[in-house]
PDB file of all heavy atoms in Angstrom:
ATOM      1  N   ASP V 188      13.337 -24.910-113.946  1.00 97.00           N
ATOM      2  CA  ASP V 188      13.527 -26.361-113.819  1.00 97.00           C
ATOM      3  C   ASP V 188      13.498 -26.656-112.319  1.00 97.00           C
ATOM      4  O   ASP V 188      14.505 -27.033-111.721  1.00 97.00           O
ATOM      5  CB  ASP V 188      14.868 -26.772-114.450  1.00 97.00           C
ATOM      6  CG  ASP V 188      15.060 -28.281-114.485  1.00 97.00           C
ATOM      7  OD1 ASP V 188      14.130 -29.011-114.077  1.00 97.00           O
ATOM      8  OD2 ASP V 188      16.143 -28.735-114.908  1.00 97.00           O
ATOM      9  N   PRO V 189      12.320 -26.454-111.721  1.00 96.00           N
ATOM     10  CA  PRO V 189      12.246 -26.578-110.251  1.00 96.00           C
ATOM     11  C   PRO V 189      12.222 -28.032-109.799  1.00 96.00           C
ATOM     12  O   PRO V 189      12.009 -28.938-110.598  1.00 96.00           O
ATOM     13  CB  PRO V 189      10.917 -25.897-109.917  1.00 96.00           C
ATOM     14  CG  PRO V 189      10.076 -26.110-111.135  1.00 96.00           C
ATOM     15  CD  PRO V 189      11.010 -26.148-112.314  1.00 96.00           C
ATOM     16  N   MET V 190      12.445 -28.242-108.516  1.00 97.00           N
ATOM     17  CA  MET V 190      12.383 -29.573-107.909  1.00 97.00           C
ATOM     18  C   MET V 190      10.906 -29.900-107.690  1.00 97.00           C
ATOM     19  O   MET V 190      10.236 -29.234-106.898  1.00 97.00           O
ATOM     20  CB  MET V 190      13.133 -29.525-106.573  1.00 97.00           C
ATOM     21  CG  MET V 190      13.211 -30.838-105.860  1.00 97.00           C
ATOM     22  SD  MET V 190      14.405 -31.935-106.663  1.00 97.00           S
ATOM     23  CE  MET V 190      14.444 -33.270-105.475  1.00 97.00           C
ATOM     24  N   CYS V 191      10.404 -30.888-108.409  1.00 95.00           N
ATOM     25  CA  CYS V 191       8.967 -31.189-108.333  1.00 95.00           C
ATOM     26  C   CYS V 191       8.679 -32.496-107.610  1.00 95.00           C
ATOM     27  O   CYS V 191       7.520 -32.890-107.483  1.00 95.00           O
ATOM     28  CB  CYS V 191       8.370 -31.247-109.733  1.00 95.00           C
ATOM     29  SG  CYS V 191       8.480 -29.685-110.596  1.00 95.00           S
ATOM     30  N   SER V 192       9.715 -33.200-107.178  1.00 93.00           N
ATOM     31  CA  SER V 192       9.477 -34.500-106.540  1.00 93.00           C
ATOM     32  C   SER V 192      10.486 -34.662-105.411  1.00 93.00           C
ATOM     33  O   SER V 192      11.034 -33.688-104.928  1.00 93.00           O
ATOM     34  CB  SER V 192       9.642 -35.601-107.576  1.00 93.00           C
ATOM     35  OG  SER V 192      10.919 -35.480-108.188  1.00 93.00           O
ATOM     36  N   ASP V 193      10.739 -35.890-105.002  1.00 94.00           N
ATOM     37  CA  ASP V 193      11.795 -36.124-104.019  1.00 94.00           C
ATOM     38  C   ASP V 193      13.080 -36.479-104.756  1.00 94.00           C
ATOM     39  O   ASP V 193      13.075 -36.713-105.967  1.00 94.00           O
ATOM     40  CB  ASP V 193      11.399 -37.254-103.063  1.00 94.00           C
ATOM     41  CG  ASP V 193      11.235 -38.556-103.812  1.00 94.00           C
ATOM     42  OD1 ASP V 193      10.300 -38.644-104.653  1.00 94.00           O
ATOM     43  OD2 ASP V 193      12.038 -39.478-103.601  1.00 94.00           O
ATOM     44  N   MET V 194      14.182 -36.526-104.016  1.00 95.00           N
ATOM     45  CA  MET V 194      15.483 -36.678-104.664  1.00 95.00           C
ATOM     46  C   MET V 194      15.613 -38.008-105.398  1.00 95.00           C
ATOM     47  O   MET V 194      16.133 -38.057-106.517  1.00 95.00           O
ATOM     48  CB  MET V 194      16.616 -36.521-103.658  1.00 95.00           C
ATOM     49  CG  MET V 194      17.957 -36.399-104.351  1.00 95.00           C
ATOM     50  SD  MET V 194      19.254 -35.799-103.299  1.00 95.00           S
ATOM     51  CE  MET V 194      19.518 -37.186-102.229  1.00 95.00           C
ATOM     52  N   THR V 195      15.127 -39.092-104.789  1.00 93.00           N
ATOM     53  CA  THR V 195      15.266 -40.400-105.437  1.00 93.00           C
ATOM     54  C   THR V 195      14.531 -40.416-106.775  1.00 93.00           C
ATOM     55  O   THR V 195      15.065 -40.890-107.785  1.00 93.00           O
ATOM     56  CB  THR V 195      14.731 -41.516-104.513  1.00 93.00           C
ATOM     57  OG1 THR V 195      15.381 -41.383-103.250  1.00 93.00           O
ATOM     58  CG2 THR V 195      15.019 -42.889-105.077  1.00 93.00           C
ATOM     59  N   THR V 196      13.308 -39.876-106.787  1.00 96.00           N
ATOM     60  CA  THR V 196      12.534 -39.825-108.037  1.00 96.00           C
ATOM     61  C   THR V 196      13.266 -38.977-109.069  1.00 96.00           C
ATOM     62  O   THR V 196      13.352 -39.348-110.246  1.00 96.00           O
ATOM     63  CB  THR V 196      11.131 -39.233-107.772  1.00 96.00           C
ATOM     64  OG1 THR V 196      10.566 -39.917-106.657  1.00 96.00           O
ATOM     65  CG2 THR V 196      10.230 -39.372-108.971  1.00 96.00           C
ATOM     66  N   LEU V 197      13.794 -37.841-108.613  1.00 97.00           N
ATOM     67  CA  LEU V 197      14.534 -36.966-109.533  1.00 97.00           C
ATOM     68  C   LEU V 197      15.688 -37.725-110.179  1.00 97.00           C
ATOM     69  O   LEU V 197      15.838 -37.734-111.403  1.00 97.00           O
ATOM     70  CB  LEU V 197      15.082 -35.746-108.776  1.00 97.00           C
ATOM     71  CG  LEU V 197      15.975 -34.810-109.607  1.00 97.00           C
ATOM     72  CD1 LEU V 197      15.134 -33.817-110.397  1.00 97.00           C
ATOM     73  CD2 LEU V 197      16.974 -34.056-108.735  1.00 97.00           C
ATOM     74  N   LEU V 198      16.501 -38.370-109.334  1.00 97.00           N
ATOM     75  CA  LEU V 198      17.712 -39.020-109.845  1.00 97.00           C
ATOM     76  C   LEU V 198      17.383 -40.255-110.676  1.00 97.00           C
ATOM     77  O   LEU V 198      18.048 -40.554-111.659  1.00 97.00           O
ATOM     78  CB  LEU V 198      18.636 -39.404-108.683  1.00 97.00           C
ATOM     79  CG  LEU V 198      19.102 -38.256-107.774  1.00 97.00           C
ATOM     80  CD1 LEU V 198      19.991 -38.785-106.664  1.00 97.00           C
ATOM     81  CD2 LEU V 198      19.834 -37.182-108.562  1.00 97.00           C
ATOM     82  N   LYS V 199      16.324 -40.961-110.260  1.00 95.00           N
ATOM     83  CA  LYS V 199      15.988 -42.231-110.907  1.00 95.00           C
ATOM     84  C   LYS V 199      15.238 -42.019-112.222  1.00 95.00           C
ATOM     85  O   LYS V 199      15.509 -42.681-113.215  1.00 95.00           O
ATOM     86  CB  LYS V 199      15.120 -43.051-109.944  1.00 95.00           C
ATOM     87  CG  LYS V 199      15.127 -44.542-110.199  1.00 95.00           C
ATOM     88  CD  LYS V 199      14.418 -45.260-109.060  1.00 95.00           C
ATOM     89  CE  LYS V 199      14.337 -46.748-109.302  1.00 95.00           C
ATOM     90  NZ  LYS V 199      13.630 -47.427-108.205  1.00 95.00           N
TER      91      LYS V 199
END
Side-chain angles (χ1 to χ4, degrees):
Chain V
D188 186 3
M190 183 74 172
C191 297
S192 55
D193 63 294
M194 191 165 71
T195 307
T196 311
L197 175 84
L198 302 179
K199 203 171 177 181

